[in-house]
Amino acid sequence: MRILIYSYNYHPEPIGIAPLMTELAEGLVKRGHEVRVITAMPNYPERKIYPAYRGQWFMTEEKNGVTITLLCMDQAQPRIVYSAAARG
């Protein structure tokens, strides 16, 4: 099954919902599903984008079989500023 997870927080953020969403996505991959995550650039808990992710509108990476699309979002309110995910 192809599964899309949208979560404002995801790996590599160390606390909050990020570890739970990461565990969910990777667990689904282990069960044979194709999983894609759409998330914000990592910024929690400081609400500042991590240095390695700054200066980009979006990027795609893969970790443990999960395709992760990271988008630049307004840090004050979790809404998408630029949506490249639809282009796949």
Side-chain angles (χ1 to χ4, degrees):
M1 182 183 302
R2 296 172 66 189
I3 299 170
L4 174 67
I5 297 173
Y6 174 82
S7 176
Y8 187 69
N9 302 98
Y10 195 78
H11 174 84
E13 295 175 339
I15 57 177
I17 196 71
L20 299 174
M21 290 293 102
T22 303
E23 184 178 338
L24 171 65
E26 292 177 1
L28 290 168
V29 167
K30 287 178 185 173
R31 288 170 178 77
H33 301 289
E34 180 183 333
V35 180
R36 171 172 285 221
V37 172
I38 297 177
T39 188
M41 296 289 182
N43 64 78
Y44 192 80
E46 296 86 14
R47 292 293 178 219
K48 293 182 182 175
I49 295 175
Y50 292 10
Y53 295 87
R54 289 184 189 153
Q56 301 181 67
W57 282 104
F58 71 96
M59 65 185 297
T60 300
E61 58 188 27
E62 189 164 319
K63 179 182 181 294
N64 296 329
V66 179
T67 302
I68 307 161
T69 300
L70 300 108
L71 304 173
C72 186
M73 294 187 186
D74 183 331
Q75 301 307 309
Q77 296 192 9
R79 60 182 170 82
I80 296 176
V81 173
Y82 180 81
S83 176
R87 292 187 223 164

